[in-house]
Amino acid sequence: GDLTITEAINSIARPPSGDNTGNGGAVSITTTNGDISITGGIDTYSDADGSTGNAGAVTLTANNGSIATGIIQADPRATSAWNAGNGGAITLTAKNAITTETLLSGSRSENSGNANNGGEITLSSTDGNIKTGLIESKSFRESSDNTGYGWTVNLSAINGNIEVNTINSTSNGTGGIGGDVVVTTNKLFRASGNFTDFNNVDSSISTAGANGGGSLTIEHGGGQSNPFAEGDAITNGTAQAITTGANNKIAPKQSFKENSNQGNIQIISDADQIVPQVQTPNQEEVETEEEIETEAELASNSTTEQLETNTLVEEIEETSTEEFVEFVGDDNVQVKNVQIKTVKETQGTLN
């Protein structure tokens, strides 16, 4: 049946003072035939003035239902000069709609410590829409220290629309690598919000990294009638730029009716469907058909000519016979049951 929780689910790790802390706890909920509703949100982060542990993973599965949640926070936060752990993975899988508020799985060091990797965020619906707020899987540090990887964001609604506010999988510190973003829908995709990434790019989606950006792929079903629009998120597109780095961005306003590739950015439209090929015979088949037609035509002509020849011979023989009888006289010639034979019949007799 349905599962409804109106209060927040807290599985956080937080010490009473400025000490280091351990890992946040994982949360996993599955329904076979019902919906999941957790309006109070879910917290699995690790938070400390010292170094933090890793955030706990969040897994929600509604095999034959929908999912609705408040904010999910699986992002460890080191608030002093210490290191932050890895973000927790957020995985939401439903047959029907998925609706959430903000999703956070980044790793944040808010002072002079190092940040680790963000956590993977995956939302997948087979028959419903996906609608969510901010999505962050970034690795972020406040000062000039190291960061890890921004992690993958994967959104898939095979038979539904996808709507987000923004997607941030950046990594801004020394050695930082941005995370990949993959959006897949047979219908429409919208990213209606914007933020300024660390390269000062006004973005709706950024995968930029200080040491390399992640790939960005958007596959949608808008086609020619609803082309993907940069700078217009009303129907199918993003409010601001999509970018994988300072030197690779697609900025407003642009419209894409067909597939587009720019660096490690791909926009894939169903407008480029494969057109079925018309099967044509090869040259040998054409020549064979022409030969058959020629032979048939020749045979038809030959038959016509033979009939015309036979008729002419019959007429000549009949005329000759009448002239012979007239010449010698009727009393001297008796013509009984004379049969006029065709050329073919005569050839048969001779053979």
Side-chain angles (χ1 to χ4, degrees):
D2 297 341
L3 173 65
T4 301
I5 301 174
T6 57
E7 300 294 329
I9 297 177
N10 290 317
S11 184
I12 64 176
R14 176 183 291 159
S17 61
D19 296 331
N20 300 335
T21 188
N23 299 327
V27 172
S28 180
I29 298 173
T30 299
T31 61
T32 302
N33 292 305
D35 300 332
I36 297 174
S37 177
I38 307 173
T39 56
I42 302 172
D43 297 330
T44 63
Y45 59 84
S46 177
D47 185 15
D49 289 335
S51 293
T52 73
N54 301 323
V58 176
T59 304
L60 305 179
T61 305
N63 290 321
N64 290 290
S66 61
I67 295 173
T69 75
I71 298 173
I72 298 178
Q73 300 181 90
D75 55 330
R77 311 156 187 179
T79 57
S80 188
W82 298 93
N83 301 327
N86 295 316
I90 299 173
T91 305
L92 310 183
T93 306
K95 182 178 187 298
N96 300 320
I98 297 175
T99 305
T100 79
E101 296 182 28
T102 296
L103 303 178
L104 303 175
S105 69
S107 177
R108 296 192 296 166
S109 176
E110 297 180 358
N111 207 305
S112 59
N114 299 322
N116 273 290
N117 302 323
E120 182 171 355
I121 297 178
T122 302
L123 276 60
S124 178
S125 170
T126 53
D127 292 333
N129 297 327
I130 293 176
K131 184 175 182 179
T132 186
L134 282 78
I135 296 177
E136 288 188 358
S137 62
K138 66 182 182 181
S139 179
F140 173 81
R141 56 90 179 108
E142 191 70 41
S143 65
S144 60
D145 290 311
N146 299 327
T147 57
Y149 290 84
W151 218 254
T152 302
V153 174
N154 194 331
L155 310 178
S156 175
I158 302 303
N159 295 304
N161 298 315
I162 299 177
E163 181 180 351
V164 304
N165 187 290
T166 59
I167 301 176
N168 184 346
S169 65
T170 62
S171 182
N172 69 335
T174 303
I177 304 292
D180 299 334
V181 171
V182 180
V183 176
T184 306
T185 172
N186 286 331
K187 294 190 175 181
L188 306 177
F189 169 69
R190 298 173 56 207
S192 57
N194 64 287
F195 67 98
T196 302
D197 75 0
F198 70 92
N199 289 318
N200 291 319
V201 177
D202 194 6
S203 312
S204 289
I205 304 173
S206 179
T207 67
N211 199 39
S215 64
L216 199 168
T217 303
I218 299 172
E219 184 172 0
H220 66 93
Q224 298 283 339
S225 58
N226 291 300
F228 191 81
E230 281 297 322
D232 185 356
I234 294 176
T235 304
N236 187 37
T238 61
Q240 293 297 329
I242 58 176
T243 176
T244 64
N247 297 320
N248 190 37
K249 62 182 178 180
I250 299 178
K253 285 188 173 184
Q254 301 184 59
S255 180
F256 301 91
K257 291 185 177 181
E258 298 180 351
N259 293 355
S260 178
N261 294 295
Q262 180 176 301
N264 57 352
I265 298 175
Q266 291 188 82
I267 299 174
I268 303 172
S269 169
D270 72 350
D272 290 331
Q273 295 293 329
I274 298 174
V275 178
Q277 297 295 316
V278 178
Q279 189 171 10
T280 57
N282 58 38
Q283 186 63 33
E284 293 181 357
E285 292 173 339
V286 172
E287 291 175 353
T288 300
E289 291 175 358
E290 290 177 349
E291 290 171 0
I292 292 173
E293 291 175 357
T294 301
E295 291 174 359
E297 184 177 355
L298 290 173
S300 176
N301 292 339
S302 175
T303 301
T304 301
E305 292 173 357
Q306 184 66 56
L307 289 173
E308 291 175 351
T309 301
N310 290 345
T311 302
L312 180 60
V313 170
E314 290 171 7
E315 291 176 353
I316 293 172
E317 288 183 349
E318 185 175 357
T319 301
S320 299
T321 300
E322 290 174 354
E323 290 177 348
F324 176 78
V325 171
E326 184 178 358
F327 177 78
V328 299
D330 291 340
D331 296 334
N332 298 319
V333 178
Q334 293 183 350
V335 180
K336 296 182 180 180
N337 299 324
V338 177
Q339 295 182 350
I340 305 301
K341 293 186 177 183
T342 66
V343 174
K344 185 175 182 180
E345 290 171 342
T346 302
Q347 289 175 340
T349 302
L350 293 174
N351 292 334

